[in-house]
Amino acid sequence: MTPNRLAFDHTVIAALHLPDPVVQPGLSMAYLEDYVLTNAAVFAKAGIPAVKLQDQTRAAGPASLATVARTAALGRLIRREYPDLALGIIVQAHDAESPIAIAEACGAGFVRLKVYVGAVMSSEGQKSALCVAARAYRQAAGADGVAILADIHDRTSLPIGGVSQPQAAKWAVDMGADGLIITGSDFDDSLARIRALRTAGIKAPVLVGGGVDAGNIGRALAEAAGVVVSTSIMRRDAGPNDPLKWDLDKCRRLMEAAKG
């Protein structure tokens, strides 16, 4: 199965978050399979072209073997049942290699790495750049078909060292990132940051990483190569054990606005 490449052309990526194992411990693989297929079906029916499968298992070091195996198996399931969806992978563990290995194993076309260049301080402590290890592993694994989306100063952490966002973006492009993700303090801040990157001469595709909804996606796609969206299209009435988390009508309205 060949990777389904991500098109950097006003694309919409739905983030399919797996259940947090701390909040919902002991979920079976059968439940998780039902969970991902139930929600992937919503995205496919709504016409959303890309899905990012997001493991929620936090780890101080690299992703565990269980995380790698589970995420790869679930990704493979999505690719088999919904081959027209472009599929991406992200893991919460600070790990350069596991997301690429998972993507290569399940036929995903892209990965998202939160700390690609520089260093940051997060609620989990200090984290340093993954770019050298990620680029080397992608080459060694023959995974050139897996695109790397690099967050630049993600809002869940604070950059260390006073490096400007345009400078960090230049570093990321130089270190092999295929696309950049910008998530400001709010939606308008994200767009302002993207404009600052363009002013600084950054030509790589840039995606808005948060705060997108049906009311502002047109503005987002006028300035960015794509968006990552999740919260605004979720069900508000879903119970903790309800596998259906995303709302089909909200997803359809989002895509109608995107096309408009």
Side-chain angles (χ1 to χ4, degrees), residues 170-219:
K170 290 177 182 178
W171 285 349
V173 173
D174 290 344
M175 292 302 294
D178 300 283
L180 309 176
I181 297 179
I182 297 295
T183 311
S185 58
D186 56 32
F187 178 77
D188 288 330
D189 183 42
S190 294
L191 295 193
R193 293 181 184 214
I194 291 174
R195 287 191 288 268
L197 295 191
R198 296 304 182 210
T199 300
I202 302 299
K203 294 182 172 57
V206 182
L207 294 85
V208 178
V212 175
D213 57 32
N216 62 28
I217 192 170
R219 291 174 56 205

Side-chain angles (χ1 to χ4, degrees), residues 8 15 26 32 42 85-86 99 123 137 213 226-227 230 235 248 253 256:
F8 293 110
L32 293 175
V42 171
L85 285 176
S123 60
Y137 182 79
D213 57 32
V227 300
S230 186
R235 293 176 57 200
L248 178 58
R253 288 197 293 271
E256 288 171 0

Side-chain angles (χ1 to χ4, degrees), residues 4 31 51 92 106 112 115 149 151 165 183 203:
N4 202 348
Y31 177 91
V51 171
Q92 285 290 353
C106 70
R112 180 178 182 178
V115 186
L149 303 186
D151 279 86
Q165 199 161 44
T183 311
K203 294 182 172 57

